Amino acid sequence: MRHETDVHGSIFFLLKKFVDHNLPLGTWEKLKEKARISRPDYEMTASYPIEDIGGILVAASEMTGLGEDELKERFGEYLVADLFTLYKSYLQPDWKTYDVLIHTERVMHGAVRKLNSTANPPILNVTLVSDQLLMIDYFSKRRMASLAVGIIKGIAKYYNEEEKVIVRSVTPLNDERVQIRVEFK
Ligand code: HEM
């Protein structure tokens, strides 16, 4: 049975792609071994324990010397292009970073929930403070807000807006509820 903190196979698939892209061939298998993961591979239609991601990140952190939050953030940045390809039909052509963020909960994560009964994206409450400031409240027992920070930065990069979009979490990154401030200069 699915557990509340399980993570969708698509995220594991993209994590493997991220590792393959950035680290030498064979690293994914080494990381799985270090994390004592024996399942052969991850399928796009199933969900898997968050502990697998945790174990892979700990092993990757030891291997690269980068902190786990840093790795999660970089992974978030990396996966945006693929997420956008997968869910392209839900993105309007005139949207930029601000628009994608204000539509993520209802449109994007909404589509994910509708299309994949096995997926369970986090709840993101976005407050439109002004046209220069969004406050994003992240709620998830998976405690992956640094991935959220990376995804937001990745979206800004995707639209060539990284110079004008400033992303900063204003509460501790590893909580179940994290507030992220996104400023548009
Ligand atoms: C193009 C828009 C987006 C798409 C298509 C998308 C899709 C997904 C999917 C498929 C998952 C896996 C859910 C599961 O494990 O069951 C996920 C998880 C996640 N999404 Fe999104 N997402 C989008 C935008 C965002 C944005 C803008 C943020 C942050 C502000 C975000 C934050 C996260 C985080 C942190 C997770 C990991 C699971 C968790 O923390 O509970 N996503 N998303």
Side-chain angles (χ1 to χ4, degrees), residues 66-147:
L66 294 169
E68 286 167 51
D69 280 327
E70 175 73 28
L71 285 169
K72 269 188 257 181
E73 190 177 316
R74 289 194 193 189
F75 171 47
E77 275 188 42
Y78 175 83
L79 61 72
V80 167
D82 286 299
L83 275 186
F84 275 20
T85 307
L86 284 170
Y87 292 89
K88 203 181 184 153
S89 54
Y90 293 89
L91 291 162
Q92 298 299 322
D94 59 338
W95 282 358
K96 292 242 180 187
T97 310
Y98 187 93
D99 314 277
V100 174
L101 292 178
I102 63 175
H103 288 100
T104 294
E105 174 57 22
R106 238 165 30 94
V107 182
M108 311 309 300
H109 278 175
V112 173
R113 291 192 191 99
K114 204 173 78 192
L115 298 174
N116 301 293
S117 55
T118 50
N120 170 33
I123 296 178
L124 302 170
N125 283 337
V126 183
T127 307
L128 284 67
V129 181
S130 72
D131 53 10
Q132 282 174 328
L133 184 62
L134 296 176
M135 291 301 294
I136 302 184
D137 274 288
Y138 161 95
F139 293 86
S140 171
K141 292 213 181 309
R142 290 175 279 205
R143 300 174 186 260
M144 303 227 320
S146 32
L147 185 76

Side-chain angles (χ1 to χ4, degrees), residues 11-56:
I11 300 293
F12 282 92
F13 173 83
L14 294 173
L15 181 62
K16 176 175 186 302
K17 194 163 173 248
F18 171 67
V19 168
D20 288 348
H21 186 261
N22 289 292
L23 295 165
L25 200 72
T27 301
W28 178 252
E29 282 66 31
K30 267 194 210 137
L31 295 177
K32 273 174 68 189
E33 213 176 288
K34 272 188 141 197
R36 297 177 194 282
I37 297 170
S38 54
R39 74 179 88 250
D41 240 319
Y42 296 92
E43 284 166 33
M44 289 287 270
T45 49
S47 291
Y48 301 92
I50 181 107
E51 288 75 19
D52 280 20
I53 294 219
I56 288 169

Side-chain angles (χ1 to χ4, degrees), residues 1-9 46-48 116-121 142:
M1 217 181 75
R2 199 202 146 101
H3 188 270
E4 205 182 345
T5 56
D6 282 357
V7 177
H8 198 239
S47 291
Y48 301 92
N116 301 293
S117 55
T118 50
N120 170 33
R142 290 175 279 205

